[in-house]
Amino acid sequence: MSEQVDATIKPIIGGIAWSTMTKGARNPSRLVKFFRRHPEIAWGGLLLMIVTLLSIFAPLLGTVDPRALSTGNRLKAPSPEHWFGTDMLGRDLYSRVLYGGRISLSIGVSAAALSAFFGTAFGLLSAFGALLDGVIMRIMDGIMSIPAILLAIALMAVAGASIENVVFAVTIVEAPRVARLIRGVVLSLRDQPYVEAAIAAGSSMPKIILRHLLPGIVGPLIVQATFVWATAMILEAALSFIGAGTPPSIPSWGNIMSDGKALWQVKPFLIFIPAAFLSVTLLAVNLLGDGLRDLLDPRMSKRG
Amino acid sequence: MLIYALRRILMAIPVMGVVALVIFGLLYITPGDPAMVIAGDQATPDEIARIRVSLGLDQPAYIRFGTWLWQVMQGDLGTSIFSNQPVALMIDQRLQPTLSLLILAVLLSIGIGVPFGVAAAWKRGKAIDHALAIFTTAGFSIPAFVAGYALAFIFASTLHWLPVQGFTPISEGFWPFLRSLILPAVTLSLVYAAVIARVTRAAMLDVLSQDYIRTAHAKGVRPYMILFRHALKNAAVPVVTIIGIGVATLFGATVVTENVFAIPGLGRLTVDAITHRDYPIIQGVVLLSSATYVVVNLTVDILYTLVDPRISY
């Protein structure tokens, strides 16, 4: 299982980290200047990188098998031997939290990527298809009228518990929000004189979309995808927490908290340690999203 | 005005239709047999057959959708697979705690979010504005159930000010009732108040930069009069909109929060339904919450035209 997750998460996260590092190496002073101007991106990125590296290199960081039971070691408080203590089955919480990051982060990244893809597709289709527009937007309105977590719960109930289904559920919930945003951006861009000029000059539709509209979409899309990433991780945790998410045998942050909830009053660390990791990661992603919004999407900037 | 209201109500019908179609269609999106998934791994063929009949999966989809829609419109949400009781009755029994919690959370969120947002816009760039930025970022980064456990740990387990878990019906006295709802309501308010505050701040900044506000300052109108009589009234539309839209988030957060605080409401019912694989109950709760959301936002939209004379349709 963990190899499978490895294969999905490493290229994505690794790619981001690698490109950031090489850029830094090529021109450190410019990077420092950039981070000083956008402290949210710097802090968000740094925190996210720490959490990501911790999960990727979990096997090298003194962890044991996150699923190894040890009945003699149940509910041990944090100690030098078990940094975060052990749960009611004697499993090492430190190992579980680090490996859990792999599951939670990759669910977030995959759901964000899929929502961005399908959202953009439907947004473009809606903005250009006169007849389709009404139909697509009514469907999106309908889906958005269903409280996100309840729709996800209903989906999980019929689809069954698996990592793929959690990603699928989050995508169905979030893609309409992306579609609506993209439709709005495209509609406003389409009325810009330079696009009208391109249409008048006889450019083909695919060329107009690729050369004139996509560059305008990318900024808002990246910002939105970052927030979908955060929402996806919250949804995964909430679904797993109430027993409708990732299968209980897989240590995701939501499942670790779900395991701890029966005993949280006696052993609060069972909940609060994974909760802290989840919240710090969400904070990082939200900071990154806010920073990127200031950078890429000046119209939406909260410092308006 | 009346025509606008009618048109707006007519527009809500297709949205509700899509909601019904989505909730109904979910049963058919999975590649396998939904009756088998819902029945679970240890089900006997008899049980699977019973579930298939009770969900109507033995009939063609369009016939089943028609019958189901007709039943729903008459208030019949089907029968629970696990307890064999009507879903509508089971929902009705759980309505009081959830409704009390939701109302308290909405009031609390508006009470925190609006003044906080106004203050941050008024003192832009000052300490209170930074405090708001921290509060909203924290609100978005701490999931409801995490906040719930943290609050329960501090105020119930450690300080013993409030009960840790459970719900006291209002029939057993108002104060015990309120005490049992304070922590869950605060938990729900964190995200919701953060959203309201952020939108209030943005809307107020927008209004405060307009000419008539400067004129009012120049005339020597007292600052709090400008803030509340001139500015807040005009910033109300986006704020009221986000309050309406946030109801969906609030509904979702209730499911988890009720689970944290062991409140026997709709959220508990949903979570128990997940454990028992009782799909008709989940269907009923989803339908009810979506309908509530649509009705709340419809009301908000129509209320605008009453509150704001500039909006005419």
Side-chain angles (χ1 to χ4, degrees):
Chain A
M1 182 55 242
S2 67
E3 288 81 8
Q4 195 185 330
V5 174
D6 251 350
T8 44
I9 192 171
K10 267 187 181 163
I12 307 170
I13 305 282
I16 297 171
W18 185 78
S19 68
T20 322
M21 280 189 287
T22 44
K23 249 183 224 156
R26 219 180 294 141
N27 201 340
S29 63
R30 210 203 262 168
L31 193 74
V32 168
K33 222 181 261 174
F34 173 81
F35 280 160
R36 202 166 283 160
R37 201 173 308 139
H38 297 281
E40 285 159 325
I41 296 183
W43 285 110
L46 181 71
L47 281 174
L48 200 57
M49 196 131 67
I50 293 174
V51 177
T52 310
L53 290 176
L54 281 178
S55 350
I56 291 178
F57 295 111
L60 307 175
L61 294 170
T63 55
V64 294
D65 180 356
R67 281 183 253 183
L69 308 180
S70 167
T71 36
N73 269 327
R74 292 187 307 168
L75 296 171
K76 288 273 156 60
S79 66
E81 218 168 309
H82 297 284
W83 288 4
F84 295 168
T86 59
D87 69 4
M88 68 280 230
L89 297 172
R91 295 172 296 195
D92 179 49
L93 201 61
Y94 170 70
S95 310
R96 288 178 71 70
V97 167
L98 255 53
Y99 277 97
R102 294 180 166 200
I103 316 285
S104 299
L105 284 168
S106 43
I107 287 178
V109 172
S110 335
L114 283 176
S115 307
F117 177 77
F118 286 108
T120 308
F122 281 107
L124 282 172
L125 214 59
S126 189
F128 284 106
L131 264 175
L132 272 176
D133 187 28
V135 178
I136 293 181
M137 277 302 125
R138 285 301 84 71
I139 294 176
M140 301 296 158
D141 282 349
I143 295 178
M144 285 191 285
S145 305
I146 306 173
I149 191 165
L150 284 169
L151 178 56
I153 287 174
L155 269 162
M156 295 305 293
V158 284
S162 76
I163 291 186
E164 292 79 10
N165 286 343
V166 173
V167 172
F168 172 61
V170 176
T171 305
I172 289 202
V173 168
E174 290 300 321
R177 287 160 233 272
V178 180
R180 165 140 283 203
L181 171 85
I182 295 300
R183 175 180 175 271
V185 174
V186 171
L187 285 182
S188 73
L189 283 177
R190 210 179 50 177
D191 291 338
Q192 298 278 318
Y194 76 92
V195 179
E196 278 177 4
I199 296 174
S203 295
S204 68
M205 207 41 131
K207 200 175 165 192
I208 291 177
I209 293 182
L210 279 177
R211 293 215 26 199
H212 300 298
L213 295 178
L214 270 185
I217 296 173
V218 169
L221 184 64
I222 290 178
V223 175
Q224 188 67 16
T226 320
F227 291 122
V228 173
W229 185 3
T231 315
M233 280 193 293
I234 295 185
L235 271 176
E236 186 281 324
L239 284 174
S240 303
F241 182 74
I242 57 179
T246 313
S249 61
I250 298 173
S252 75
W253 286 337
N255 274 335
I256 301 171
M257 283 185 265
S258 184
D259 288 341
K261 72 182 166 192
L263 289 164
W264 78 272
Q265 287 197 63
V266 208
K267 307 278 175 193
F269 66 87
L270 289 179
I271 288 247
F272 289 125
I273 291 176
F277 271 77
L278 175 62
S279 287
V280 167
T281 310
L282 289 172
L283 176 71
V285 177
N286 280 326
L287 281 177
L288 200 63
D290 281 344
L292 287 172
R293 182 170 48 193
D294 287 345
L295 178 71
L296 299 172
D297 194 4
R299 285 167 309 152
M300 299 271 290
S301 168
K302 68 177 158 74
R303 314 222 178 280
Chain B
M1 163 63 219
L2 194 68
I3 291 172
Y4 169 71
L6 275 176
R7 219 180 58 205
R8 189 63 190 74
I9 291 170
L10 281 178
M11 268 166 60
I13 293 175
V15 173
M16 261 335 279
V18 171
V19 170
L21 200 61
V22 168
I23 296 170
F24 177 81
L26 282 183
L27 274 177
Y28 295 90
I29 53 158
T30 43
D33 180 355
M36 275 173 80
V37 178
I38 288 169
D41 299 332
Q42 279 119 42
T44 61
D46 274 0
E47 275 169 1
I48 296 175
R50 191 172 69 87
I51 288 169
R52 189 173 293 133
V53 173
S54 78
L55 291 173
L57 291 167
D58 50 340
Q59 291 165 323
Y62 61 94
I63 294 185
R64 175 64 202 137
F65 182 61
T67 347
W68 178 73
L69 205 60
W70 180 243
Q71 286 172 343
V72 166
M73 283 195 281
Q74 288 172 318
D76 176 6
L77 295 172
T79 312
S80 151
I81 294 175
F82 184 71
S83 72
N84 264 326
Q85 279 183 306
V87 172
L89 179 76
M90 295 177 77
I91 287 182
D92 189 47
Q93 289 167 344
R94 304 293 193 102
L95 217 49
Q96 197 217 354
T98 302
L99 222 53
S100 323
L101 184 57
L102 282 176
I103 293 172
L104 196 62
V106 170
L107 293 178
L108 206 61
S109 307
I110 298 175
I112 299 170
V114 173
F116 208 164
V118 170
W122 186 247
K123 302 270 178 200
R124 189 182 178 191
K126 300 278 171 56
I128 187 143
D129 198 13
H130 295 302
L132 180 75
I134 294 171
F135 171 68
T136 51
T137 312
F140 294 137
S141 305
I142 303 175
F145 56 102
V146 173
Y149 279 118
L151 288 171
F153 183 71
I154 300 169
F155 294 103
S157 296
T158 311
L159 295 172
H160 300 289
W161 289 356
L162 293 159
V164 179
Q165 284 180 323
F167 171 74
T168 318
I170 196 162
S171 52
E172 286 172 33
F174 185 71
W175 178 234
F177 161 78
L178 197 63
R179 265 172 63 93
S180 70
L181 284 182
I182 290 177
L183 285 180
V186 171
T187 303
L188 283 177
S189 304
L190 288 177
V191 186
Y192 198 31
V195 178
I196 295 176
R198 207 175 242 203
V199 172
T200 307
R201 176 183 178 275
M204 283 298 282
L205 281 180
D206 201 35
V207 173
L208 286 173
S209 68
Q210 286 178 14
D211 288 345
Y212 75 91
I213 297 289
R214 201 182 46 198
T215 311
H217 275 295
K219 272 199 322 191
V221 179
R222 270 161 297 174
Y224 71 88
M225 283 282 280
I226 295 180
L227 209 53
F228 293 102
R229 291 244 357 222
H230 295 77
L232 188 58
K233 245 164 90 178
N234 283 295
V237 169
V239 176
V240 176
T241 310
I242 200 69
I243 292 173
I245 292 174
V247 167
T249 323
L250 204 56
F251 240 119
T254 314
V255 176
V256 215
T257 308
E258 282 183 7
N259 199 38
V260 171
F261 291 99
I263 291 170
L266 288 181
R268 263 315 263 206
L269 185 69
T270 315
V271 174
D272 292 344
I274 297 168
T275 325
H276 298 139
R277 304 174 159 280
D278 203 339
Y279 191 68
I281 293 185
I282 298 177
Q283 224 173 18
V285 174
V286 174
L287 202 61
L288 180 76
S289 55
S290 314
T292 312
Y293 172 78
V294 170
V295 170
V296 165
N297 283 285
L298 187 68
T299 319
V300 164
D301 270 10
I302 294 175
L303 275 180
Y304 286 160
T305 52
L306 295 177
V307 178
D308 195 334
R310 286 171 305 180
I311 299 178
S312 56
Y313 294 91

